[in-house]
Amino acid sequence: MPIATVNPANGETLKTFDALGAAEIERRLAAADTTFREYRTTGFGERARLLNRAADLLDEDQQDIARTMTTEMGKPVRAARAEAAKCAKAMRWYAAAAEGLLADEHPSAGDVGDAGASRAYVHYRPLGPVLAVMPWNFPLWQVVRFAAPALMAGNVGLLKHASNVPQTALYLEDLFRRAGFPAGCFQTLLVGSGAVESILRDPRVVAATLTGSEPAGRAVAAIAGDEVKHTVLELGGSDPFLVLPSADVRQAARTAVTARVQNNGQSCIAAKRFIVHTDVYDEFAEEFTAGMRALKVGDPQQESTDIGPLASEQGRTDIEELVDDAVRQGATVLCGGSRPTGLGARLDRGWFYAPTVLSAITPAMRIHREETFGPVATLYRAADLGEAVAMANDTPFGLSSNVWTRDADESRQCVRDLQAGGVFFNGMTASHPALPFGGVKRSGYGRELAGHGIREFCNATTVWYGPETDGSRSA
């Protein structure tokens, strides 16, 4: 895949980039290694000063970088601005919280005594240069939610971004440079996927984090496993959205529309399978379908647009194939199900797909077991909570889940039984810097964000002082 900005709203190639050669990759790896040796000794106060400055610059750049993201991958410009604002918020959160999250942990005196020590504690130290292999769908947020905690912990970052968002990738490197981070602290590597293995195998790269497809995750995990290097993987999702009889059905339906089509439906944590109790199924289906049908599809640079194009022509083809397969096997199209028309000569060349709702889904259909990365929703009818939970868990993925109920017993059962990294009640799944984020099953392993995320790339070091150690009380 070429490294290029291709506008998905009209298919026009705007700018292409040459991949880095071996000599330049080596120079950047050497810079990361050298910089880490010095940067790791800086204090939390200095790191926080730099990260807060990056947040200020991002706020100043918000309009311009939003339009760049929209041009490169098609998200509505309103959503792109919100993404930039969220990144600045996360930077400030980690700047304020990191020192506390990585504070030394002291066991009780009794436990230390049993270990034969006069004093013992856990101290968190940075690991070194970390390779981040990141996707195009949230081209700022996916990177910042790694970079902010990693930099605050004293690590340095090497970004291999998706090949269709090169300008956003270069912006991120420039942002941290302008904020005053030392050269080599955060570098963008404009390389193709074929270069990832040699970079990850380089002994100066100590760990990796990947957000992306299951095949990409398997490949990176296999290489890292062979090299005995730590990884965090956030892969696909086919998140369920359960609606039970005690719910506010109209509000659930309105939220369901946003939950399904956020980022043009190209989000791992977007709700995709809507599992509705039979007592409220008809009401929900009517409200939800009407909301999906009312969405405005069009130029993502326009403020009034709800749904822009899919990020690539292949992405639209993948969605079309899933929908066509379901329809051939008996699924009912409640709305959409095709490319939109009447967008104008320029936009008709873009990779748009109409917001779509399908019902009468069966396990034989591909769409039942594969992730739908686009504005397509599937509706299921459940006889009771037990059947709804069973349907929700009938997927190889386990990223997050949404449940609409006002019944406390139902809530407790869902927390106990849903196989997912998160359970969101009476709302939609969202990531927040203060809450850990990640999945189970084939959605990956490890956690981003919160204290869990910042400690993923730290060496939890046991420090032990014997009873005769001089200065053990003041060290």
Side-chain angles (χ1 to χ4, degrees):
M1 181 178 182
I3 301 173
T5 297
V6 181
N7 187 344
N10 56 26
E12 180 183 354
T13 299
L14 301 177
K15 195 169 185 179
T16 59
F17 297 82
D18 293 329
L20 298 181
E24 181 61 16
I25 293 172
E26 167 58 29
R27 188 190 72 77
R28 289 173 179 250
L29 289 173
D33 183 55
T34 300
T35 300
F36 170 68
R37 296 172 190 276
E38 189 68 28
Y39 181 69
R40 64 185 293 275
T41 66
T42 59
F44 285 106
E46 173 63 6
R47 297 174 201 164
R49 183 186 69 80
L50 296 172
L51 196 58
N52 278 320
R53 177 58 181 155
D56 291 342
L57 291 170
L58 181 53
D59 281 340
E60 294 173 11
D61 298 342
Q62 184 184 111
Q63 185 65 35
D64 289 340
I65 188 56
R67 294 205 174 277
T68 298
M69 285 191 284
T70 296
T71 298
E72 291 201 304
M73 53 71 58
K75 72 171 69 220
V77 71
R78 286 183 288 118
R81 286 199 304 271
E83 181 175 339
K86 183 175 184 176
C87 290
K89 176 182 177 180
M91 289 177 180
R92 294 188 177 101
W93 189 88
Y94 268 110
E99 185 171 8
L101 295 173
L102 296 179
D104 292 344
E105 296 176 2
H106 296 269
S108 67
D111 289 337
V112 170
D114 289 347
S118 62
R119 182 183 179 216
Y121 62 95
V122 177
H123 180 66
Y124 290 98
R125 296 186 290 171
L127 291 178
V130 179
L131 174 65
V133 182
M134 293 288 114
W136 47 261
N137 56 337
F138 291 93
L140 275 187
W141 172 241
Q142 302 281 13
V143 178
V144 167
R145 75 184 191 190
F146 150 73
L151 291 170
M152 283 304 301
N155 294 301
V156 302
L158 294 161
L159 171 64
K160 189 284 181 219
H161 217 324
S163 293
N164 61 331
V165 290
Q167 294 187 67
T168 305
L170 291 170
Y171 168 81
L172 283 158
E173 178 181 82
D174 186 59
L175 174 69
F176 290 114
R177 179 193 60 78
R178 287 187 290 136
F181 281 92
C185 251
F186 187 92
Q187 299 178 85
T188 287
L189 306 179
L190 287 186
V191 296
S193 57
V196 169
E197 179 170 359
S198 62
I199 294 169
L200 183 50
R201 289 190 184 278
D202 190 285
R204 291 165 293 190
V205 175
V206 298
T209 179
L210 177 141
T211 299
S213 68
E214 185 182 340
R218 287 177 181 275
V220 165
I223 297 165
D226 190 50
E227 296 290 339
V228 196
K229 294 181 180 181
H230 180 63
T231 52
V232 171
L233 302 181
E234 192 263 279
L235 308 178
S238 188
D239 291 3
F241 189 105
L242 279 61
V243 183
L244 301 171
S246 65
D248 181 336
V249 176
R250 294 189 66 185
Q251 183 59 40
R254 285 193 291 268
T255 304
V257 173
T258 304
R260 175 57 280 208
V261 302
Q262 58 177 309
N263 206 45
N264 302 336
Q266 301 165 121
S267 170
C268 295
I269 58 170
K272 299 182 178 76
R273 298 175 298 130
F274 297 84
I275 302 166
V276 187
H277 192 285
T278 189
D279 290 353
V280 293
Y281 179 91
D282 291 339
E283 179 185 359
F284 177 87
E286 181 179 355
E287 293 276 351
F288 179 53
T289 302
M292 291 284 282
R293 188 182 293 116
L295 294 168
K296 181 180 178 181
V297 179
D299 186 345
Q301 297 285 3
Q302 296 297 316
E303 297 289 336
S304 59
T305 295
D306 298 310
I307 304 289
L310 299 185
S312 69
E313 188 171 18
Q314 183 61 54
R316 183 175 64 179
T317 298
D318 293 343
I319 285 293
E320 288 177 325
E321 290 177 352
L322 286 176
V323 172
D324 292 347
D325 171 78
V327 171
R328 282 195 303 270
Q329 299 194 63
T332 301
V333 179
L334 301 183
C335 71
S338 62
R339 302 179 184 185
T341 58
L343 299 179
R346 184 176 66 90
L347 296 181
D348 282 343
R349 299 194 301 270
W351 303 315
F352 295 88
Y353 196 79
T356 298
V357 180
L358 303 177
S359 65
I361 305 300
T362 69
M365 300 171 185
R366 288 178 53 202
I367 204 166
H368 175 76
R369 60 186 182 274
E370 298 181 26
E371 182 178 20
T372 51
F373 225 57
V376 176
T378 53
L379 275 176
Y380 296 78
R381 186 190 297 264
D384 53 33
L385 176 59
E387 185 177 30
V389 170
M391 288 179 176
N393 291 338
D394 186 24
T395 173
F397 301 107
L399 193 53
S400 190
S401 59
N402 311 259
V403 181
W404 284 73
T405 179
R406 288 181 281 203
D407 183 290
D409 289 337
E410 290 178 342
S411 297
R412 284 190 288 269
Q413 184 175 339
C414 289
V415 170
R416 183 191 68 192
D417 294 341
L418 285 173
Q419 298 168 0
V423 185
F424 286 69
F425 289 99
N426 302 318
M428 58 180 274
T429 297
S431 54
H432 187 282
L435 297 171
F437 180 85
V440 295
K441 301 197 287 188
R442 292 188 180 178
S443 288
Y445 53 74
R447 290 295 180 266
E448 297 176 291
L449 301 175
H452 301 72
I454 197 171
R455 289 189 286 268
E456 283 282 1
F457 297 111
C458 287
N459 175 1
T461 307
T462 297
V463 181
W464 187 94
Y465 292 95
E468 303 302 322
T469 303
D470 289 338
S472 64
R473 294 295 174 184
S474 60

